[in-house]
Amino acid sequence: MPCIALAIDGGGLRGIIPVLILKHIEEKVQESTQSRRRLVNYFNIVSGTSTGGLIACGATLGTNEDTQSTKYDFDFIESIYRTRGPEIFPHETRWLVKRYNKLKNYIRPQFGKHGIETVLKDIFESTRILSCIRPIIVTTYDVSCNKPFYFSSRAAALEPDLNYS
């Protein structure tokens, strides 16, 4: 049996681009099938890298009403980028600070964790990765330890007491 995966790229504020593409595809699929079925329901697994992980989590978070309903749609996820994007990915306008940050980015991540943590807590609250309607994998970067980190619904199911925060 084939496994159909949806992989969503990162890219900071440019993450709005895959959101818009996925939203358009979902609209076309819904038109052609005469269904309100969400796009993520057509995939066996959803993965996202960095900001693509935010999209993957948002698009697959269940409502607890049934196993196919999602809490958020692509319009809501798009609004996160439009309204909270500058908080997650702050943009420096001063010339000297921009030059310093550009050099610093060679050894450290470009953005700190405060903005993304605040937004994620506001949106997802205490929701766990096991609340997603599809298995998900999120690859990201731990800015405090300066190393890659992986979240997966499978690991969460195997170790329910594991705290990712």
Side-chain angles (χ1 to χ4, degrees), residues 62-80:
T63 61
N64 296 330
E65 294 172 10
D66 62 58
T67 60
Q68 301 299 310
S69 297
T70 58
K71 185 173 182 178
Y72 302 123
D73 59 12
F74 288 119
D75 286 327
F76 179 78
I77 298 168
E78 177 186 354
S79 75
I80 295 169

Side-chain angles (χ1 to χ4, degrees), residues 56-153:
C57 290
T60 60
L61 183 63
T63 61
N64 296 330
E65 294 172 10
D66 62 58
T67 60
Q68 301 299 310
S69 297
T70 58
K71 185 173 182 178
Y72 302 123
D73 59 12
F74 288 119
D75 286 327
F76 179 78
I77 298 168
E78 177 186 354
S79 75
I80 295 169
Y81 282 91
R82 293 195 187 278
T83 60
R84 309 283 304 265
E87 185 179 347
I88 300 170
F89 311 105
H91 179 70
E92 181 57 56
T93 56
R94 295 173 296 185
W95 180 83
L96 187 58
V97 175
K98 281 172 80 170
R99 290 287 181 197
Y100 168 75
N101 285 342
K102 193 167 192 140
L103 290 171
K104 182 183 78 169
N105 292 342
Y106 285 109
I107 55 173
R108 283 198 186 139
Q110 185 174 358
F111 302 106
K113 65 179 185 174
H114 177 72
I116 188 71
E117 282 184 353
T118 301
V119 172
L120 291 176
K121 285 178 183 173
D122 289 349
I123 295 166
F124 296 110
E125 298 166 341
S126 62
T127 306
R128 306 285 294 179
I129 199 168
L130 293 174
S131 299
C132 295
I133 65 167
R134 292 287 177 265
I136 67 169
I137 300 170
V138 177
T139 58
T140 189
Y141 197 78
D142 185 340
V143 294
S144 59
C145 297
N146 209 20
K147 64 179 184 176
F149 192 80
Y150 308 93
F151 297 93
S152 78
S153 50

